Amino acid sequence: MSEVNMPKRKEKCENCTKQCNKKQSDEGANSHQERDEVNGQEHEGSQLLLSACLSCDGCLSEEESLKISQQSLEEVERVLALNKKCDVSKHKVLVASVCPQSLPFFAVKFGLDITEAAHKLCAFLKSLGVQYVFDTTLAAGFSILESQKEFIQRFRRRHHDSHALPMFTSSCPGWIRYSERVLGSLVTPHICTARSPQQIMGCLVKDYFSKQQKLSPEKVYHVFVAPCFDKKLEAVREEFYNSLLETRDVDCVLTSGEIYYLMEQRKVSVEELDSVPLDHVLGETGDAALVRHEGRGSEGFLEHVFKHAAKELFGLDVHEITYKTLRNRDFQEVTLERDGETLLQFAAVYGFRNIQTLVHRMRKGRVPYQLVEVLSCPGGCLSGRGQAASDVEGRLDKALVQQMEEAYSSLPVRLPEVNPTLHTLYQDWLQGQDSPQAGTLLHTQYRSPINTQPPHMQW
């Protein structure tokens, strides 16, 4: 497993500090109340708002800025155009993977149920020149199963490993970036090493699928459709780049909103699109039935790990999970009790205001949880700013989010444990669940630069 190489920062990082401070001063006169709701806790003087810092690209290295600039519609259109011009031997096979949390967006926009909307989206992507379109629920299943296994291992070594618990989920790139760049060793040893669904899908496409198609990985151009802009940052991480073949697991991330914009730009009528079923990674024929995992609008890591741990560690079957709301609906906890004893205590913490509260408690040693599902977007993945932003800057389109939640909940739930395709791939692709191949392709690692944050940045 390759190490994370942190790229060099720009020399004058204080410039972004000055810009952010000026921006905050300008905005502060307009709406103290709105800023508090959107960005969370206020800081005075030269201290930056957490959300303002992470949404700013002022501290990106030049290498990062260049890589992220290639995560665009223009880049995809460039590849499609080259396919039309160049010799067939130089063609790229385009593969699109669509995140389950993106499909409700298209269902609402198209005025269709999720399955039919997925078929219309598939038809549009293939009309552009994309050869294969996959749903990424399969990759999420891998990530959930690996997270469950890792939690059990961490729980069992908790008495002699101070970094074992709490375990933080690792599927949100905004949270990962904050942890690595700002929190450092306080948090990074606690982050689950299971790759996110996006990056496992990248391995599936570039390693397994390309071999099935008898293609070298660099001949495949992999586009990932997601609800979140931060997924672009995740795709350009160095550990997901094969320097020998000069190819990334995910070549380009496009948000749901960018795809919809392209449809509008090309004046595509949904009614005129055919209904084209999504493809199967294993190559089977027929429609790939769409399902979801448990959880409220995200991949449900908390619920799956909680039920698995209750059974594996204590022999208890948990059928329904009851959330207890603490600060707000984005800070909730779940408890497993037996005979008055608390056996497990998990939390779901969404949005940077709640993440700040979690971090403050952790610094004081007051985190009672064994697992925390952390997502940077308030409301979870369905509320990603790549699909749920309103016309008012910094605000969500709450009506759209509610419609997406209803559409998402209409999908049937299937546990990854009973997915036969996952079991087949564990054997045929990874040579077993505990194989070195599974450890390399389904896991990664997180670390921080030596100077985690400049002295003027306090949270």
Side-chain angles (χ1 to χ4, degrees), residues 151 155 305-306 309-310 313-314 334-337 341-346 370:
F151 177 79
F155 188 89
V305 176
F306 187 83
L313 297 171
F314 306 105
V334 178
T335 304
L336 179 70
E337 296 180 342
E341 179 188 2
T342 298
L343 303 176
L344 292 174
Q345 196 170 5
F346 288 9
Q370 292 89 26

Side-chain angles (χ1 to χ4, degrees), residues 25-314:
S25 297
D26 293 343
E27 292 176 347
N30 296 329
S31 175
H32 175 92
Q33 183 176 0
E34 177 177 328
R35 186 171 64 247
D36 184 68
E37 180 179 341
V38 176
N39 292 329
Q41 199 167 359
E42 293 268 9
H43 298 272
E44 296 180 359
S46 62
Q47 298 175 343
L48 300 181
L49 293 176
L50 167 61
S51 53
C53 173
L54 294 181
S55 63
C56 171
D57 63 359
C59 63
L60 290 177
S61 68
E62 291 179 3
E63 295 95 327
E64 283 179 316
S65 296
L66 176 61
K67 292 170 186 174
I68 292 171
S69 70
Q70 296 169 347
Q71 303 278 312
S72 64
L73 282 172
E74 290 75 19
E75 185 67 14
V76 174
E77 290 179 317
R78 185 189 67 81
V79 174
L80 288 168
L82 282 175
N83 271 0
K84 294 178 181 179
K85 294 178 181 178
C86 66
D87 184 82
V88 175
S89 63
K90 298 180 180 179
H91 279 194
K92 298 271 190 180
V93 174
L94 271 80
V95 175
S97 298
V98 184
C99 176
Q101 287 74 34
S102 287
L103 291 176
F105 170 81
F106 293 103
V108 173
K109 290 295 185 180
F110 295 168
L112 301 170
D113 63 48
I114 286 190
T115 299
E116 186 58 25
H119 291 176
K120 294 284 189 177
L121 176 63
C122 181
F124 171 67
L125 293 172
K126 291 193 172 185
S127 74
L128 297 175
V130 174
Q131 284 96 324
Y132 299 94
V133 181
F134 298 126
D135 162 52
T136 67
T137 305
L138 187 66
F142 272 119
S143 190
I144 289 170
L145 292 178
E146 293 300 309
S147 298
Q148 289 179 172
K149 182 169 64 176
E150 181 170 332
F151 177 79
I152 298 301
Q153 294 168 350
R154 284 174 175 263
F155 188 89
R156 287 174 172 160
R157 69 172 190 263
R158 68 193 185 282
H159 294 305
H160 60 269
D161 181 358
S162 61
H163 291 142
L165 298 176
M167 184 176 93
F168 297 115
T169 57
S170 56
S171 63
C172 175
W175 158 243
I176 294 300
R177 185 173 180 82
Y178 173 42
S179 299
E180 290 185 324
R181 297 293 179 103
V182 179
L183 301 177
S185 59
L186 174 72
V187 165
T188 50
H190 296 270
I191 297 176
C192 178
T193 65
R195 292 194 186 197
S196 72
Q198 171 177 300
Q199 294 310 133
I200 290 179
M201 195 68 201
C203 287
L204 260 175
V205 169
K206 289 295 183 88
D207 188 73
Y208 177 80
F209 180 74
S210 64
K211 289 176 182 176
Q212 300 305 304
Q213 299 297 314
K214 297 181 172 54
L215 293 168
S216 181
E218 73 271 16
K219 290 290 186 181
V220 177
Y221 188 84
H222 185 200
V223 180
F224 195 90
V225 182
C228 174
F229 285 105
D230 286 346
K231 286 293 184 181
K232 296 175 187 280
L233 280 169
E234 181 179 27
V236 303
R237 289 175 67 95
E238 288 304 312
E239 65 266 37
F240 303 138
Y241 178 71
N242 185 322
S243 57
L244 183 64
L245 297 175
E246 296 184 344
T247 185
R248 295 192 175 280
D249 295 339
V250 176
D251 295 288
C252 184
V253 174
L254 296 178
T255 66
S256 319
E258 286 175 308
I259 295 291
Y260 190 69
Y261 170 78
L262 182 61
M263 295 182 72
E264 290 184 319
Q265 192 180 45
R266 297 196 173 205
K267 296 181 171 55
V268 174
S269 169
V270 174
E271 292 76 15
E272 295 174 359
L273 289 170
D274 293 330
S275 184
V276 179
L278 275 66
D279 298 294
H280 296 260
V281 171
L282 292 182
E284 309 102 313
T285 57
D287 193 4
L290 292 173
V291 296
R292 67 178 176 91
H293 294 127
E294 293 180 305
R296 44 182 207 126
S298 300
E299 288 297 351
F301 282 88
L302 182 151
E303 294 201 18
H304 286 280
V305 176
F306 187 83
K307 291 180 178 181
H308 177 77
K311 181 67 173 178
E312 182 75 13
L313 297 171
F314 306 105

